[in-house]
């Protein structure tokens, strides 16, 4: 039984970069617990000893191309959907200390 | 004009110009969509420009492609340069893609005409289109019921003949289930068959774009254009591209149709079971051989899907940081947030082994179940959905109930095999889809069997009242 508590859900929300209201936190705690419990209970029925995880159904590995520059988007195109740009850059919140 | 074939024939015989056709389609679609809400955006000006280009091509060429001059819709999770694309989310309100998806590029290359972008569940997450941040779409067969999801807008638009085809995407059933709910054809190709370049990603080891059409032949004609290796999609596979429409017309005599014994249990609506069993009789009458098979991990398919898919979703939706595009993450709808939370939790330290990794291991078992089954039979069949098209609001408050709607469709995404839903009958006037799956890269065989069933039945000819 996973029985998530609200503190754990707050931590997950932080990892997921989601701001949730108290009401949403409460609702998600109930819903996530229900879904996870059901999932874990079901998965336990399948024996996976010595089974490798399947991550890729087509069996392809390392599809690479020659390391040569090819035409891409223009700077203007790349910036066109942002509200916060400056001199051809994306503006972001300050991450380095002034000092 | 319901089908690609009808439109193509008319254009070729010069019974009407593409410009006139598209004008009529736009007028008709806008009028009827007031009742359905299947489109988020009509690209009028562009459509008429594209129609003019198509007319020019038709006048100058002796042979034209089946899709030249044909109007279509595209689910709004597939990007179209210069045409608003929202993924039915407030996050991408006002977003104008600076480049084309490969599938749209291919349709433009043959001078198809984009009528507009179809509504869907937000970021393709849902089974009813009720999760669209803009509007719910209605089922043309019963306006108080959902069209299914997540490609509900596409399916409703095609069912009501607003467009002869729309491109949907399918991660856990999102082409097939709405096709089933709306009495149309929905094909999920083999994973890797169609380029995912320009598909707003949801579950990148699961997603595939595919056609939603009125007939199996039309699905083959669209697949011809959208399929193929694309160097811009590292997961697309180099495989010979046949003319899929040439496979139609073969009989199904002595071909084996496997029915998983796990499918016909208590969870399924008994009326749907009855329709399905009647469909199997039709297959038998056509010479197909029915065989009971087992997919032992059927019960684990939905849990595996929801852990693997939501983990991929949590990663894929991390890009919406409102720096390069989009509004802040507070604008995600409830289902999007829920799946991001579920995925983040499954991947987090201390839980990764028990949740995500365990699910990925069981996924391998499911993959092997399918390989074993296809060594015994040619096709696997079943109902597409365990429930009839439900009423608005019926399932939206119980996520688990909504997830269980996917029980027959998620396994094919987990295994990567192609699957199609075709009109299979009705219960009290509500459509019931028949699902057929084949092994990897066997779309020719799959379409051929689907065509044989379709030609022996009249279900696909029924029209929703009032459209």
């Amino acid at each position: 039984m996973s029985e998530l508590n609200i503190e754990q859900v707050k931590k997950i929300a932080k990892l997921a970069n989601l701001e949730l209201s108290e009401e949403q936190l409460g609702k998600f705690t109930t819903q996530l617990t229900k879904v996870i419990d059901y999932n874990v209970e079901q998965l336990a029925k399948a024996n996976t000893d010595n089974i490798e995880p399947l991550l890729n159904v087509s069996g392809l590995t390392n599809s690479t191309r020659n390391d040569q520059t090819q035409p891409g988007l223009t700077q203007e195109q790349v910036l066109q959907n942002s509200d916060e740009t400056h001199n051809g850059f994306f503006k972001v919140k300050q991450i380095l200390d002034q000092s | 004009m319901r089908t690609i074939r009808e439109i193509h024939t008319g254009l070729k015989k010069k019974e009407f110009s593409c410009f006139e056709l598209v004008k009529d389609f736009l007028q008709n679609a806008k009028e009827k969509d007031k009742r359905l809400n299947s489109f988020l955006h009509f690209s009028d000006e562009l459509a008429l420009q594209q129609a003019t280009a198509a007319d020019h091509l038709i006048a100058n060429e002796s042979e034209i492609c089946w899709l030249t001059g044909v109007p279509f819709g595209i689910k709004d999770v597939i990007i179209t340069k210069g045409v608003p694309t929202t993924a039915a989310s407030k996050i991408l309100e006002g977003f104008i893609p600076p480049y084309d998806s490969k599938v749209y590029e291919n349709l433009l290359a043959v001078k198809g005409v984009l009528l507009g972008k179809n509504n869907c569940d937000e970021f393709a997450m849902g089974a009813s289109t009720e999760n669209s941040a803009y509007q719910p779409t209605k089922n043309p067969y019963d306006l108080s019921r959902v069209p299914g999801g997540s490609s509900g807008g596409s399916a409703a638009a095609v069912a009501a003949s607003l467009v002869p085809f729309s491109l949907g995407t399918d991660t856990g059933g999102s082409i097939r289930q709405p096709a089933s709910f709306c009495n149309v054809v929905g094909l999920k190709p083999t994973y890797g068959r169609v380029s995912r370049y320009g598909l707003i990603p949801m579950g990148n080891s699961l997603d595939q774009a595919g056609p939603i059409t009125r007939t199996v032949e039309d699905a083959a004609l669209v697949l011809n254009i959208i399929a193929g290796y694309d160097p811009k999609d590292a997961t697309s596979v180099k495989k010979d591209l046949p003319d899929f429409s040439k496979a139609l017309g073969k009989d199904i005599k002595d071909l084996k149709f496997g029915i998983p014994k796990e499918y016909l249990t208590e969870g399924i609506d008994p009326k749907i079971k009855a329709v399905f069993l009647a469909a199997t009789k039709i297959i038998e009458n056509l010479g197909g051989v029915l065989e009971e098979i087992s997919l032992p991990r059927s019960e684990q398919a939905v849990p595996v899907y929801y852990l693997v898919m939501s983990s991929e979703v949590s990663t894929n939706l991390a890009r919406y940081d409102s720096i390069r595009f989009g509004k802040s993450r507070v604008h995600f709808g409830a289902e999007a947030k829920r799946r991001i939370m579920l995925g983040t939790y499954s991947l987090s330290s201390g839980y990764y082994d028990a949740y995500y990794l365990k699910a990925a291991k069981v996924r391998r078992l499911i993959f092997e179940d399918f390989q074993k089954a296809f060594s015994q039979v040619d096709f696997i069949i079943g109902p597409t959905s365990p429930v009839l098209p439900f009423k608005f609001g019926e399932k939206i408050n119980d996520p688990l109930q909504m997830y269980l709607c996917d029980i027959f469709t998620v396994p094919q995404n987990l295994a990567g095999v192609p699957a199609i839903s075709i009109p299979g009958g009705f219960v009290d006037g509500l459509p019931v889809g028949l699902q057929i799956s084949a092994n990897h890269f066997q779309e020719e065989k799959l379409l051929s069997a689907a065509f044989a069933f379709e030609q022996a039945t009249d279900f696909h000819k029924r029209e929703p009242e009032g459209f």
Side-chain angles (χ1 to χ4, degrees), chain B residues 379-398:
Chain B
F379 307 101
I380 297 174
I381 54 172
T384 305
S385 168
V387 299
L388 291 169
F390 42 90
K391 295 227 182 238
F392 286 103
E394 205 180 295
K395 294 195 189 287
I396 199 87
N397 291 317
D398 189 344

Side-chain angles (χ1 to χ4, degrees), chain A residues 17 31 46 52 54 80-81, chain B residues 96 234 329 338 358 360 364:
Chain A
N17 194 10
Q31 289 174 343
E52 282 301 300
L54 181 70
Q80 80 184 27
N81 282 293
Chain B
I96 311 279
R329 294 168 77 75
R338 191 163 24 241
K358 173 79 181 178
R364 183 173 293 284

Side-chain angles (χ1 to χ4, degrees), chain B residues 31-215:
Chain B
E31 186 51 46
K32 295 202 172 132
D33 210 39
K34 290 177 188 163
R35 287 183 280 147
L36 286 179
N37 294 326
S38 69
F39 277 86
L40 285 171
H41 176 83
F42 282 104
S43 41
D44 311 49
E45 250 180 70
L46 181 67
L48 291 172
Q49 278 169 26
Q50 291 174 344
T52 305
D55 274 328
H56 190 75
L57 186 72
I58 294 167
N60 290 319
E61 299 286 322
S62 50
E63 278 307 312
I64 54 162
C65 169
W66 281 97
L67 297 189
T68 300
V70 176
F72 59 89
I74 293 191
K75 181 178 183 179
D76 212 21
V77 296
I78 299 176
I79 62 171
T80 42
K81 183 175 178 178
V83 179
T85 301
T86 65
S89 176
K90 290 293 182 185
I91 299 248
L92 289 180
E93 192 170 27
F95 176 73
I96 311 279
Y99 63 98
D100 285 326
S101 53
K102 183 73 167 88
V103 290
Y104 178 53
E105 191 186 284
N106 284 8
L107 289 171
L108 287 183
V110 298
K111 302 271 183 285
V113 176
L114 177 69
L115 218 75
K117 306 305 290 295
N118 286 125
N119 194 25
C120 54
D121 282 295
E122 182 181 7
F123 287 109
M125 295 191 271
S128 65
T129 309
E130 288 168 292
N131 291 325
S132 167
Y134 294 94
Q135 62 204 26
T137 296
K138 298 183 183 162
N139 189 321
Y141 281 87
D142 182 335
L143 300 177
S144 71
R145 293 177 188 267
V146 303
S150 58
S151 312
S154 295
V158 171
S161 299
L162 305 194
V163 279
F165 78 93
S166 178
L167 290 188
T169 62
D170 191 311
T171 306
S174 288
I175 285 175
R176 294 162 283 155
Q177 186 253 34
S180 170
F181 275 23
C182 294
N183 196 44
V184 291
V185 175
L187 170 69
K188 181 199 88 66
T190 309
Y191 182 83
R193 176 66 94 178
V194 175
S195 173
R196 292 184 305 108
Y197 182 73
L199 258 61
I200 293 177
M202 182 189 150
N204 40 311
S205 78
L206 303 156
D207 296 340
Q208 270 293 280
I212 294 177
T213 58
R214 294 297 299 264
T215 62

Side-chain angles (χ1 to χ4, degrees), chain A residues 1-5 8-21 24-25 27-29 31-65 70-74 76-85 89-93, chain B residues 81 94-99 191-192 205 229 231 233-238 297 299-300 302-304 306-307 312 320-326 329-330 332-338 340-342 344-346 348-349 351 354-365 367-368 397-400 403-404 407 413-416 440-441:
Chain A
M1 284 293 278
S2 64
E3 230 147 78
L4 285 163
N5 62 46
Q8 284 176 289
V9 177
K10 276 187 183 164
K11 182 169 171 239
I12 297 166
K14 186 149 186 274
L15 283 174
N17 194 10
L18 287 175
E19 264 175 55
L20 299 177
S21 66
Q24 285 174 324
L25 282 168
K27 231 180 175 174
F28 281 147
T29 306
Q31 289 174 343
L32 285 185
T33 306
K34 196 174 172 187
V35 174
I36 288 274
D37 283 351
Y38 175 74
N39 289 348
V40 170
E41 187 192 316
Q42 288 301 319
L43 291 185
K45 294 181 185 177
N47 185 332
T48 52
D49 294 342
N50 301 316
I51 301 288
E52 282 301 300
L54 181 70
L55 304 173
N56 171 356
V57 286
S58 52
L60 287 176
T61 53
N62 297 339
S63 305
T64 56
R65 64 175 174 86
Q70 289 177 1
L73 296 175
T74 64
E76 198 183 72
Q77 284 174 314
V78 167
L79 292 167
Q80 80 184 27
N81 282 293
S82 174
D83 288 333
E84 304 273 315
T85 61
F89 291 86
F90 289 110
K91 267 204 288 191
V92 297
K93 290 206 184 87
Chain B
K81 183 175 178 178
F95 176 73
I96 311 279
Y99 63 98
Y191 182 83
S205 78
Y229 171 66
D233 174 4
T235 61
S236 84
V237 176
K238 283 187 180 130
R297 256 73 56 155
E299 217 187 349
Q300 283 78 48
V302 165
V304 167
Y306 274 91
L307 285 176
E312 294 181 4
Y320 302 104
D321 51 19
S322 68
I323 295 174
R324 293 156 297 162
F325 41 73
R329 294 168 77 75
V330 79
F332 276 126
E335 186 59 35
K337 283 183 180 162
R338 191 163 24 241
I340 292 170
M341 293 287 285
L342 181 59
T344 305
Y345 183 39
S346 305
S348 65
S349 157
Y351 297 100
Y355 297 167
Y356 176 76
L357 207 58
K358 173 79 181 178
K361 288 178 182 180
V362 181
R363 183 177 183 178
R364 183 173 293 284
L365 296 176
F367 182 90
E368 287 170 2
N397 291 317
D398 189 344
L400 197 54
Y403 297 167
L404 289 170
I407 210 156
N413 300 85
L414 293 171
H440 296 104
F441 298 104

